Amino acid sequence: MAAGSESKLQLVHRHIRAFPDFPKKGILFRDICPILKDAAALTAVIDLFEEHVRNNHQQVDLIVGLDARGFLFGPLLAQRLGIGFVLIRKKGKLPGATVSVSYDLEYGKAEAEVQEDAVAAGQKVLLIDDLLATGGMQRQVWWKKRATRSWNKKCDKGLNKQDKCQNHGKASLPQ
């Protein structure tokens, strides 16, 4: 990693707070709100995402953001790359025909959906959740994308994320 990227990574790390036992006992919640309120830290996150995509995934057609943190970083990255952005939302939040899937989270169960026409056959997408999740939603979304046959590429970025989406182009900023 280049020196500039390393200093950006350090800046991002300094803006992440840890809250043990939130939202329930045994969960270490890493709060990214300080990143969002600091322009330099937020710019560093998007710079690092952009660098990774431009170096490793030049053929991306759309950024797909998972509800809700994927909505924070995904549109900024899509704008930087000059491509569109697609939402994957909690069930019942999108109008029109949708495809949905149930999945387990580290602290419960949930259901997500995407509009059926959000991604055309053959388009390559980059899936972005947040910086720190464990991967429950990503695994299920990947299954859904394969099942609908309209999604054909996945790159999931996260900070210190466990590799639970093997062999699908998953990447992390820092280790």
Side-chain angles (χ1 to χ4, degrees), residues 112-145:
E113 61 188 6
V114 63
Q115 292 174 319
E116 281 184 347
D117 63 354
V119 179
Q123 281 189 302
K124 292 181 172 68
V125 305
L126 185 143
L127 180 66
I128 187 167
D129 184 3
D130 63 19
L131 302 177
L132 303 161
T134 57
M137 186 174 189
Q138 296 91 329
R139 285 191 306 277
Q140 298 302 322
V141 168
W142 177 245
W143 170 85
K144 176 173 43 180
K145 290 189 299 182

mmCIF file of all heavy atoms in Angstrom, residues 112-145:
data_model
loop_
_atom_site.group_PDB
_atom_site.id
_atom_site.type_symbol
_atom_site.label_atom_id
_atom_site.label_comp_id
_atom_site.label_asym_id
_atom_site.label_seq_id
_atom_site.Cartn_x
_atom_site.Cartn_y
_atom_site.Cartn_z
ATOM 1 N N ALA A 112 -34.308 -8.620 3.173
ATOM 2 C CA ALA A 112 -33.918 -7.523 2.291
ATOM 3 C C ALA A 112 -34.470 -7.759 0.896
ATOM 4 O O ALA A 112 -34.796 -8.889 0.535
ATOM 5 C CB ALA A 112 -32.392 -7.411 2.224
ATOM 6 N N GLU A 113 -34.559 -6.670 0.132
ATOM 7 C CA GLU A 113 -35.061 -6.806 -1.238
ATOM 8 C C GLU A 113 -34.426 -5.758 -2.150
ATOM 9 O O GLU A 113 -33.889 -4.751 -1.702
ATOM 10 C CB GLU A 113 -36.582 -6.711 -1.272
ATOM 11 C CG GLU A 113 -37.162 -5.418 -0.785
ATOM 12 C CD GLU A 113 -38.684 -5.462 -0.669
ATOM 13 O OE1 GLU A 113 -39.276 -6.536 -0.865
ATOM 14 O OE2 GLU A 113 -39.270 -4.413 -0.376
ATOM 15 N N VAL A 114 -34.501 -6.053 -3.427
ATOM 16 C CA VAL A 114 -34.012 -5.166 -4.477
ATOM 17 C C VAL A 114 -35.085 -5.128 -5.559
ATOM 18 O O VAL A 114 -35.820 -6.104 -5.756
ATOM 19 C CB VAL A 114 -32.655 -5.665 -5.041
ATOM 20 C CG1 VAL A 114 -32.790 -7.022 -5.710
ATOM 21 C CG2 VAL A 114 -32.032 -4.652 -5.991
ATOM 22 N N GLN A 115 -35.211 -4.015 -6.251
ATOM 23 C CA GLN A 115 -36.170 -3.951 -7.344
ATOM 24 C C GLN A 115 -35.728 -4.886 -8.462
ATOM 25 O O GLN A 115 -34.546 -4.980 -8.773
ATOM 26 C CB GLN A 115 -36.296 -2.517 -7.863
ATOM 27 C CG GLN A 115 -36.954 -1.611 -6.837
ATOM 28 C CD GLN A 115 -36.973 -0.155 -7.253
ATOM 29 O OE1 GLN A 115 -35.995 0.345 -7.793
ATOM 30 N NE2 GLN A 115 -38.079 0.518 -6.979
ATOM 31 N N GLU A 116 -36.692 -5.600 -9.033
ATOM 32 C CA GLU A 116 -36.382 -6.611 -10.055
ATOM 33 C C GLU A 116 -35.602 -6.042 -11.230
ATOM 34 O O GLU A 116 -34.752 -6.714 -11.802
ATOM 35 C CB GLU A 116 -37.674 -7.247 -10.575
ATOM 36 C CG GLU A 116 -38.232 -8.288 -9.669
ATOM 37 C CD GLU A 116 -39.467 -8.964 -10.248
ATOM 38 O OE1 GLU A 116 -40.037 -8.463 -11.238
ATOM 39 O OE2 GLU A 116 -39.850 -10.001 -9.704
ATOM 40 N N ASP A 117 -35.893 -4.815 -11.611
ATOM 41 C CA ASP A 117 -35.247 -4.226 -12.790
ATOM 42 C C ASP A 117 -34.023 -3.373 -12.449
ATOM 43 O O ASP A 117 -33.519 -2.638 -13.292
ATOM 44 C CB ASP A 117 -36.256 -3.399 -13.584
ATOM 45 C CG ASP A 117 -36.810 -2.215 -12.793
ATOM 46 O OD1 ASP A 117 -36.509 -2.090 -11.584
ATOM 47 O OD2 ASP A 117 -37.551 -1.410 -13.392
ATOM 48 N N ALA A 118 -33.518 -3.478 -11.227
ATOM 49 C CA ALA A 118 -32.413 -2.626 -10.783
ATOM 50 C C ALA A 118 -31.112 -2.901 -11.534
ATOM 51 O O ALA A 118 -30.326 -1.991 -11.771
ATOM 52 C CB ALA A 118 -32.190 -2.778 -9.284
ATOM 53 N N VAL A 119 -30.883 -4.148 -11.884
ATOM 54 C CA VAL A 119 -29.636 -4.532 -12.557
ATOM 55 C C VAL A 119 -29.998 -5.363 -13.778
ATOM 56 O O VAL A 119 -30.732 -6.346 -13.671
ATOM 57 C CB VAL A 119 -28.722 -5.351 -11.617
ATOM 58 C CG1 VAL A 119 -27.448 -5.772 -12.336
ATOM 59 C CG2 VAL A 119 -28.392 -4.560 -10.362
ATOM 60 N N ALA A 120 -29.493 -4.966 -14.923
ATOM 61 C CA ALA A 120 -29.750 -5.705 -16.156
ATOM 62 C C ALA A 120 -28.824 -6.914 -16.258
ATOM 63 O O ALA A 120 -27.715 -6.912 -15.717
ATOM 64 C CB ALA A 120 -29.538 -4.787 -17.360
ATOM 65 N N ALA A 121 -29.289 -7.929 -16.967
ATOM 66 C CA ALA A 121 -28.461 -9.120 -17.194
ATOM 67 C C ALA A 121 -27.135 -8.699 -17.805
ATOM 68 O O ALA A 121 -27.089 -7.869 -18.708
ATOM 69 C CB ALA A 121 -29.193 -10.097 -18.099
ATOM 70 N N GLY A 122 -26.064 -9.243 -17.277
ATOM 71 C CA GLY A 122 -24.733 -8.961 -17.797
ATOM 72 C C GLY A 122 -24.038 -7.785 -17.146
ATOM 73 O O GLY A 122 -22.830 -7.616 -17.325
ATOM 74 N N GLN A 123 -24.760 -6.947 -16.399
ATOM 75 C CA GLN A 123 -24.087 -5.834 -15.731
ATOM 76 C C GLN A 123 -23.235 -6.364 -14.584
ATOM 77 O O GLN A 123 -23.615 -7.304 -13.894
ATOM 78 C CB GLN A 123 -25.103 -4.830 -15.178
ATOM 79 C CG GLN A 123 -25.658 -3.912 -16.230
ATOM 80 C CD GLN A 123 -26.489 -2.806 -15.602
ATOM 81 O OE1 GLN A 123 -27.446 -3.063 -14.904
ATOM 82 N NE2 GLN A 123 -26.093 -1.572 -15.879
ATOM 83 N N LYS A 124 -22.098 -5.735 -14.394
ATOM 84 C CA LYS A 124 -21.198 -6.093 -13.304
ATOM 85 C C LYS A 124 -21.408 -5.092 -12.177
ATOM 86 O O LYS A 124 -21.412 -3.893 -12.405
ATOM 87 C CB LYS A 124 -19.761 -6.079 -13.780
ATOM 88 C CG LYS A 124 -19.462 -7.184 -14.776
ATOM 89 C CD LYS A 124 -18.000 -7.127 -15.194
ATOM 90 C CE LYS A 124 -17.612 -8.307 -16.037
ATOM 91 N NZ LYS A 124 -18.216 -8.350 -17.337
ATOM 92 N N VAL A 125 -21.592 -5.619 -10.973
ATOM 93 C CA VAL A 125 -21.852 -4.755 -9.830
ATOM 94 C C VAL A 125 -20.777 -4.927 -8.770
ATOM 95 O O VAL A 125 -20.137 -5.973 -8.674
ATOM 96 C CB VAL A 125 -23.239 -5.024 -9.205
ATOM 97 C CG1 VAL A 125 -24.335 -4.892 -10.247
ATOM 98 C CG2 VAL A 125 -23.306 -6.378 -8.537
ATOM 99 N N LEU A 126 -20.602 -3.867 -7.991
ATOM 100 C CA LEU A 126 -19.742 -3.900 -6.828
ATOM 101 C C LEU A 126 -20.661 -3.683 -5.636
ATOM 102 O O LEU A 126 -21.360 -2.679 -5.555
ATOM 103 C CB LEU A 126 -18.695 -2.795 -6.914
ATOM 104 C CG LEU A 126 -17.651 -2.786 -5.819
ATOM 105 C CD1 LEU A 126 -16.310 -2.389 -6.397
ATOM 106 C CD2 LEU A 126 -18.046 -1.884 -4.683
ATOM 107 N N LEU A 127 -20.695 -4.635 -4.739
ATOM 108 C CA LEU A 127 -21.575 -4.606 -3.580
ATOM 109 C C LEU A 127 -20.830 -3.996 -2.403
ATOM 110 O O LEU A 127 -19.750 -4.462 -2.038
ATOM 111 C CB LEU A 127 -22.008 -6.029 -3.249
ATOM 112 C CG LEU A 127 -22.937 -6.216 -2.067
ATOM 113 C CD1 LEU A 127 -24.287 -5.581 -2.352
ATOM 114 C CD2 LEU A 127 -23.102 -7.700 -1.787
ATOM 115 N N ILE A 128 -21.412 -2.954 -1.823
ATOM 116 C CA ILE A 128 -20.785 -2.316 -0.670
ATOM 117 C C ILE A 128 -21.795 -2.266 0.462
ATOM 118 O O ILE A 128 -22.938 -1.877 0.285
ATOM 119 C CB ILE A 128 -20.237 -0.916 -1.021
ATOM 120 C CG1 ILE A 128 -19.434 -0.326 0.121
ATOM 121 C CG2 ILE A 128 -21.352 0.017 -1.448
ATOM 122 C CD1 ILE A 128 -18.623 0.899 -0.266
ATOM 123 N N ASP A 129 -21.358 -2.723 1.605
ATOM 124 C CA ASP A 129 -22.199 -2.692 2.799
ATOM 125 C C ASP A 129 -21.692 -1.542 3.645
ATOM 126 O O ASP A 129 -21.902 -0.394 3.335
ATOM 127 C CB ASP A 129 -22.108 -4.036 3.527
ATOM 128 C CG ASP A 129 -23.031 -4.134 4.735
ATOM 129 O OD1 ASP A 129 -23.799 -3.204 5.010
ATOM 130 O OD2 ASP A 129 -22.963 -5.159 5.406
ATOM 131 N N ASP A 130 -21.007 -1.844 4.712
ATOM 132 C CA ASP A 130 -20.403 -0.798 5.513
ATOM 133 C C ASP A 130 -18.945 -1.162 5.710
ATOM 134 O O ASP A 130 -18.402 -1.979 4.978
ATOM 135 C CB ASP A 130 -21.154 -0.595 6.816
ATOM 136 C CG ASP A 130 -21.131 -1.813 7.728
ATOM 137 O OD1 ASP A 130 -20.259 -2.683 7.553
ATOM 138 O OD2 ASP A 130 -21.982 -1.889 8.611
ATOM 139 N N LEU A 131 -18.342 -0.577 6.695
ATOM 140 C CA LEU A 131 -16.928 -0.828 6.913
ATOM 141 C C LEU A 131 -16.657 -1.989 7.850
ATOM 142 O O LEU A 131 -15.570 -2.514 7.871
ATOM 143 C CB LEU A 131 -16.275 0.426 7.511
ATOM 144 C CG LEU A 131 -16.408 1.692 6.682
ATOM 145 C CD1 LEU A 131 -15.780 2.854 7.419
ATOM 146 C CD2 LEU A 131 -15.771 1.508 5.326
ATOM 147 N N LEU A 132 -17.643 -2.399 8.648
ATOM 148 C CA LEU A 132 -17.324 -3.242 9.780
ATOM 149 C C LEU A 132 -18.245 -4.423 10.023
ATOM 150 O O LEU A 132 -18.157 -5.055 11.062
ATOM 151 C CB LEU A 132 -17.320 -2.375 11.054
ATOM 152 C CG LEU A 132 -16.364 -1.198 10.974
ATOM 153 C CD1 LEU A 132 -16.735 -0.147 12.003
ATOM 154 C CD2 LEU A 132 -14.948 -1.641 11.168
ATOM 155 N N ALA A 133 -19.146 -4.757 9.145
ATOM 156 C CA ALA A 133 -20.103 -5.835 9.397
ATOM 157 C C ALA A 133 -19.445 -7.203 9.321
ATOM 158 O O ALA A 133 -18.327 -7.343 8.858
ATOM 159 C CB ALA A 133 -21.251 -5.760 8.403
ATOM 160 N N THR A 134 -20.188 -8.226 9.748
ATOM 161 C CA THR A 134 -19.628 -9.578 9.762
ATOM 162 C C THR A 134 -19.991 -10.386 8.527
ATOM 163 O O THR A 134 -19.501 -11.488 8.361
ATOM 164 C CB THR A 134 -20.092 -10.346 10.998
ATOM 165 O OG1 THR A 134 -21.516 -10.366 10.998
ATOM 166 C CG2 THR A 134 -19.570 -9.710 12.267
ATOM 167 N N GLY A 135 -20.886 -9.920 7.699
ATOM 168 C CA GLY A 135 -21.126 -10.602 6.438
ATOM 169 C C GLY A 135 -22.431 -11.341 6.289
ATOM 170 O O GLY A 135 -22.674 -11.935 5.258
ATOM 171 N N GLY A 136 -23.317 -11.358 7.279
ATOM 172 C CA GLY A 136 -24.571 -12.102 7.173
ATOM 173 C C GLY A 136 -25.424 -11.655 6.002
ATOM 174 O O GLY A 136 -25.890 -12.463 5.199
ATOM 175 N N MET A 137 -25.630 -10.366 5.867
ATOM 176 C CA MET A 137 -26.457 -9.864 4.769
ATOM 177 C C MET A 137 -25.768 -10.075 3.425
ATOM 178 O O MET A 137 -26.398 -10.446 2.455
ATOM 179 C CB MET A 137 -26.790 -8.391 4.961
ATOM 180 C CG MET A 137 -27.772 -7.856 3.929
ATOM 181 S SD MET A 137 -28.248 -6.176 4.333
ATOM 182 C CE MET A 137 -29.564 -5.926 3.163
ATOM 183 N N GLN A 138 -24.452 -9.880 3.375
ATOM 184 C CA GLN A 138 -23.733 -10.035 2.117
ATOM 185 C C GLN A 138 -23.856 -11.449 1.571
ATOM 186 O O GLN A 138 -24.033 -11.640 0.377
ATOM 187 C CB GLN A 138 -22.246 -9.686 2.284
ATOM 188 C CG GLN A 138 -22.012 -8.259 2.652
ATOM 189 C CD GLN A 138 -21.975 -8.068 4.140
ATOM 190 O OE1 GLN A 138 -22.634 -8.772 4.900
ATOM 191 N NE2 GLN A 138 -21.216 -7.100 4.586
ATOM 192 N N ARG A 139 -23.755 -12.454 2.429
ATOM 193 C CA ARG A 139 -23.874 -13.840 1.970
ATOM 194 C C ARG A 139 -25.239 -14.075 1.350
ATOM 195 O O ARG A 139 -25.357 -14.692 0.302
ATOM 196 C CB ARG A 139 -23.673 -14.810 3.147
ATOM 197 C CG ARG A 139 -22.262 -14.940 3.588
ATOM 198 C CD ARG A 139 -22.102 -16.098 4.562
ATOM 199 N NE ARG A 139 -22.997 -16.042 5.698
ATOM 200 C CZ ARG A 139 -22.791 -15.334 6.794
ATOM 201 N NH1 ARG A 139 -21.716 -14.590 6.885
ATOM 202 N NH2 ARG A 139 -23.658 -15.375 7.780
ATOM 203 N N GLN A 140 -26.273 -13.581 1.999
ATOM 204 C CA GLN A 140 -27.622 -13.805 1.506
ATOM 205 C C GLN A 140 -27.891 -13.019 0.237
ATOM 206 O O GLN A 140 -28.560 -13.500 -0.667
ATOM 207 C CB GLN A 140 -28.646 -13.450 2.590
ATOM 208 C CG GLN A 140 -28.515 -14.303 3.828
ATOM 209 C CD GLN A 140 -28.656 -15.789 3.520
ATOM 210 O OE1 GLN A 140 -29.459 -16.192 2.697
ATOM 211 N NE2 GLN A 140 -27.860 -16.600 4.176
ATOM 212 N N VAL A 141 -27.385 -11.794 0.162
ATOM 213 C CA VAL A 141 -27.571 -10.990 -1.048
ATOM 214 C C VAL A 141 -26.861 -11.650 -2.217
ATOM 215 O O VAL A 141 -27.379 -11.706 -3.322
ATOM 216 C CB VAL A 141 -27.081 -9.550 -0.822
ATOM 217 C CG1 VAL A 141 -26.991 -8.787 -2.125
ATOM 218 C CG2 VAL A 141 -28.012 -8.835 0.148
ATOM 219 N N TRP A 142 -25.651 -12.186 -1.960
ATOM 220 C CA TRP A 142 -24.938 -12.876 -3.038
ATOM 221 C C TRP A 142 -25.757 -14.060 -3.529
ATOM 222 O O TRP A 142 -25.892 -14.279 -4.722
ATOM 223 C CB TRP A 142 -23.563 -13.319 -2.571
ATOM 224 C CG TRP A 142 -22.831 -14.093 -3.619
ATOM 225 C CD1 TRP A 142 -22.451 -15.386 -3.572
ATOM 226 C CD2 TRP A 142 -22.425 -13.625 -4.896
ATOM 227 N NE1 TRP A 142 -21.828 -15.747 -4.721
ATOM 228 C CE2 TRP A 142 -21.795 -14.689 -5.561
ATOM 229 C CE3 TRP A 142 -22.519 -12.400 -5.545
ATOM 230 C CZ2 TRP A 142 -21.268 -14.572 -6.834
ATOM 231 C CZ3 TRP A 142 -21.999 -12.274 -6.817
ATOM 232 C CH2 TRP A 142 -21.385 -13.356 -7.434
ATOM 233 N N TRP A 143 -26.349 -14.828 -2.609
ATOM 234 C CA TRP A 143 -27.197 -15.955 -3.005
ATOM 235 C C TRP A 143 -28.352 -15.460 -3.856
ATOM 236 O O TRP A 143 -28.687 -16.037 -4.880
ATOM 237 C CB TRP A 143 -27.734 -16.662 -1.756
ATOM 238 C CG TRP A 143 -28.782 -17.658 -2.108
ATOM 239 C CD1 TRP A 143 -28.590 -18.943 -2.497
ATOM 240 C CD2 TRP A 143 -30.191 -17.432 -2.170
ATOM 241 N NE1 TRP A 143 -29.802 -19.528 -2.781
ATOM 242 C CE2 TRP A 143 -30.791 -18.617 -2.588
ATOM 243 C CE3 TRP A 143 -31.005 -16.331 -1.890
ATOM 244 C CZ2 TRP A 143 -32.167 -18.739 -2.738
ATOM 245 C CZ3 TRP A 143 -32.359 -16.450 -2.044
ATOM 246 C CH2 TRP A 143 -32.929 -17.645 -2.465
ATOM 247 N N LYS A 144 -28.966 -14.372 -3.431
ATOM 248 C CA LYS A 144 -30.110 -13.832 -4.161
ATOM 249 C C LYS A 144 -29.683 -13.395 -5.563
ATOM 250 O O LYS A 144 -30.387 -13.642 -6.532
ATOM 251 C CB LYS A 144 -30.700 -12.649 -3.397
ATOM 252 C CG LYS A 144 -31.834 -11.983 -4.136
ATOM 253 C CD LYS A 144 -32.543 -10.922 -3.326
ATOM 254 C CE LYS A 144 -31.657 -10.027 -2.574
ATOM 255 N NZ LYS A 144 -32.360 -9.014 -1.812
ATOM 256 N N LYS A 145 -28.548 -12.743 -5.666
ATOM 257 C CA LYS A 145 -28.080 -12.280 -6.968
ATOM 258 C C LYS A 145 -27.857 -13.463 -7.903
ATOM 259 O O LYS A 145 -28.216 -13.406 -9.066
ATOM 260 C CB LYS A 145 -26.783 -11.486 -6.817
ATOM 261 C CG LYS A 145 -26.997 -10.161 -6.144
ATOM 262 C CD LYS A 145 -25.766 -9.320 -6.199
ATOM 263 C CE LYS A 145 -24.626 -9.974 -5.490
ATOM 264 N NZ LYS A 145 -23.428 -9.161 -5.480
#
